[in-house]
């Protein structure tokens, strides 16, 4: 014989069912994911893992999302990308992560010139460290999207960069040594030149590699020529070649009494650029990881996930470089700048 449950027991049963149901919908996605197979992500990197990838990994670790990362390092050689794409096609991951303009352009092509034989079109791709995704054609223009591609960019608005320089010292002429064979560098210099007309400064450009492959031996003479022309400061933009030889550039700057401003973090934090307005690499990686989560766990199409940059930037000052040039920062900057010895 069965007996009807007292009202209190029936109420507890109903509450238990409701709690289970709510738990399924309200618990963090990371918790739900923890019992599933790891997300398989192929990472195509320019020069091995950086702080960007540390932030990327940390995001998944902290949210208990298991991931299986396969690293493909091109070791600064873009000619390796096609073979890596062939490897990825033989054992497709859930998603492809690309680092930098050159690699990303090789992997996904331009938004209006995709070649399915050469570019990855059937897997989602999330990119990082692409400084000018719209100017270089990696991102589609406003009002359009790419079905399998989104990413995180890292460069502060150029006007904010110029204001950061002028907050430190007056600037009417900015000198730029850059690789004329890198689309992102060419785009950046063009944007700087256009902005100079609005903000009242001249861009003194020193392109390398116009006739042959750029050489590190050309950097010091180019800096000396910029100093002769009256440059107030050197500008280090998003340029992989200059990034490889950042000490050569800043040493040439010291020899000619020129400080260097950087739009990217490592040139100040690990190099000798005197100041910079930058995105922290770790946070760029976390932003990219959040997009991967939206795609692979949230089921959102990359086409519906905007390409974004961080909403806050760090003002870095390298004091050892300031001392060397006897260009000490105004006290007002020390209220918010991160000072690095």
């Amino acid at each position: 014989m069965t007996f009807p449950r007292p009202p209190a027991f029936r109420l507890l049963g109903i509450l238990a069912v409701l709690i289970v149901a709510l738990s399924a919908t309200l618990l963090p996605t990371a918790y739900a994911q923890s019992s599933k197979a790891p997300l398989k992500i192929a990472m195509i990197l320019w020069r091995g893992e950086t702080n960007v990838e540390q932030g990327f990994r940390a995001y998944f670790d902290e949210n208990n999302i298991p991931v299986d990362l396969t690293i493909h390092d091109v070791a600064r050689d873009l000619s390796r990308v096609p073979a890596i794409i062939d490897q990825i096609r033989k054992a497709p991951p859930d998603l492809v992560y690309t680092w930098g303009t050159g690699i990303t352009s090789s992997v996904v092509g331009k938004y209006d010139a995709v070649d399915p034989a050469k570019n990855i079109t059937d897997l989602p791709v999330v990119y990082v460290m692409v400084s000018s995704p719209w100017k270089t054609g990696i991102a589609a223009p406003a009002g359009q999207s790419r079905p399998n591609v989104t990413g995180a960019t890292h460069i502060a608005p150029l006007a904010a960069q110029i204001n950061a320089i002028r907050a430190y010292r007056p600037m009417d002429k900015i000198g730029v040594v850059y690789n004329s064979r890198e689309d992102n560098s060419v785009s950046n210099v063009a944007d700087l030149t256009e902005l100079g007309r609005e903000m009242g400064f001249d861009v003194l450009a020193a392109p390398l590699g116009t006739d042959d492959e750029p050489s590190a031996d050309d950097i010091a003479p180019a800096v000396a020529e910029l100093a002769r022309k009256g440059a107030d400061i050197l500008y280090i933009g998003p340029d992989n070649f200059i990034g490889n030889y950042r000490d050569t550039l800043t040493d040439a700057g010291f020899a000619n009494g020129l400080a260097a401003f950087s739009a990217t973090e490592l040139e100040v934090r690990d190099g000798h650029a005197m100041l910079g307005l930058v995105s922290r690499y770790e946070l760029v990686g976390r932003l990219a990881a959040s997009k991967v989560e939206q795609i692979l766990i949230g089921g959102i199409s990359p086409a519906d996930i905007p390409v974004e940059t961080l909403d806050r930037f760090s003002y870095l000052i390298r004091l050892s470089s300031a001392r060397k040039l006897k260009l000490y920062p105004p006290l007002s900057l020390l209220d918010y700048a991160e000072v690095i010895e």
Side-chain angles (χ1 to χ4, degrees):
M1 179 179 295
T2 59
F3 298 92
R5 290 185 179 183
F9 281 91
R10 288 202 300 273
L11 180 58
L12 287 173
I14 293 169
L15 285 173
V17 171
L18 285 173
I19 289 169
V20 171
L22 284 170
S23 297
T25 58
L26 295 181
L27 281 176
T29 304
Y31 183 90
Q33 171 63 21
S34 63
S35 63
K36 297 182 180 179
L39 306 179
K40 293 183 179 180
I41 300 171
M43 308 182 83
I44 310 180
L45 307 181
W46 173 247
R47 51 180 171 83
E49 293 195 43
T50 67
N51 288 348
V52 183
E53 287 69 51
Q54 290 181 17
F56 188 82
R57 289 177 179 273
Y59 180 93
F60 294 113
D61 288 343
E62 291 167 11
N63 287 283
N64 298 316
I65 302 173
V67 290
D68 179 3
L69 304 180
T70 301
I71 307 299
H72 303 274
D73 183 5
V74 306
R76 298 183 171 94
D77 182 358
L78 289 177
S79 69
R80 298 183 180 186
V81 174
I84 292 172
I85 291 175
D86 288 342
Q87 283 183 261
I88 288 172
R89 284 176 170 156
K90 289 175 184 175
D94 298 316
L95 181 142
V96 178
Y97 167 110
T98 61
W99 198 104
T101 300
I103 289 174
T104 304
S105 185
S106 298
V107 170
V108 302
K110 309 289 187 184
Y111 80 94
D112 57 351
V114 176
D115 182 349
K118 296 180 179 178
N119 305 133
I120 291 179
T121 58
D122 56 349
L123 294 171
V125 176
V126 171
Y127 59 77
V128 297
M129 305 305 285
V130 174
S131 59
S132 302
W134 295 276
K135 287 276 188 177
T136 54
I138 289 172
Q144 301 181 49
S145 62
R146 301 194 63 172
N148 70 313
V149 181
T150 188
T153 186
H154 62 293
I155 300 297
L158 278 178
Q161 294 180 44
I162 298 303
N163 288 333
I165 294 171
R166 286 176 164 170
Y168 197 109
R169 65 191 306 258
M171 189 279 291
D172 296 316
K173 293 182 180 181
I174 190 168
V176 190
V177 182
Y178 68 100
N179 181 5
S180 65
R181 300 186 175 211
E182 290 188 35
D183 288 348
N184 52 313
S185 299
V186 173
S187 171
N188 186 248
V189 172
D191 288 346
L192 264 178
T193 302
E194 183 179 346
L195 183 64
R197 289 190 282 269
E198 298 175 20
M199 297 185 69
F201 64 90
D202 294 326
V203 175
L204 305 179
L208 305 182
T210 54
D211 298 321
D212 203 349
E213 289 294 324
S215 168
D217 294 337
D218 297 330
I219 294 175
V223 171
E225 180 63 13
L226 292 176
R228 188 189 67 78
K229 290 180 178 179
D232 298 307
I233 196 165
L234 296 173
Y235 177 90
I236 304 176
D239 187 304
N240 286 324
F241 175 79
I242 295 299
N244 292 341
Y245 298 103
R246 62 189 180 219
D247 290 348
T248 303
L249 181 81
T250 51
D251 286 348
F254 294 144
N256 289 275
L258 287 176
F261 169 91
S262 179
T264 51
E265 181 181 19
L266 292 188
E267 280 63 38
V268 186
R269 195 175 295 283
D270 295 346
H272 302 284
M274 189 176 75
L275 69 157
L277 186 69
V278 306
S279 296
R280 286 181 54 199
Y281 278 20
E282 178 193 354
L283 298 182
V284 175
R286 288 175 178 272
L287 177 59
S290 72
K291 295 180 184 297
V292 172
E293 182 183 22
Q294 289 177 66
I295 295 167
L296 297 184
I297 297 178
I300 301 173
S301 167
D304 296 325
I305 299 174
V307 175
E308 295 175 295
T309 189
L310 300 174
D311 57 6
R312 292 185 180 182
F313 302 92
S314 297
Y315 195 120
L316 304 182
I317 296 172
R318 176 159 284 283
L319 199 55
S320 58
S321 297
R323 287 197 196 98
K324 187 170 289 192
L325 291 162
K326 295 183 171 57
L327 295 173
Y328 298 101
L331 291 178
S332 58
L333 285 182
L334 301 182
D335 290 336
Y336 57 87
E338 179 184 348
V339 178
I340 302 164
E341 280 292 333

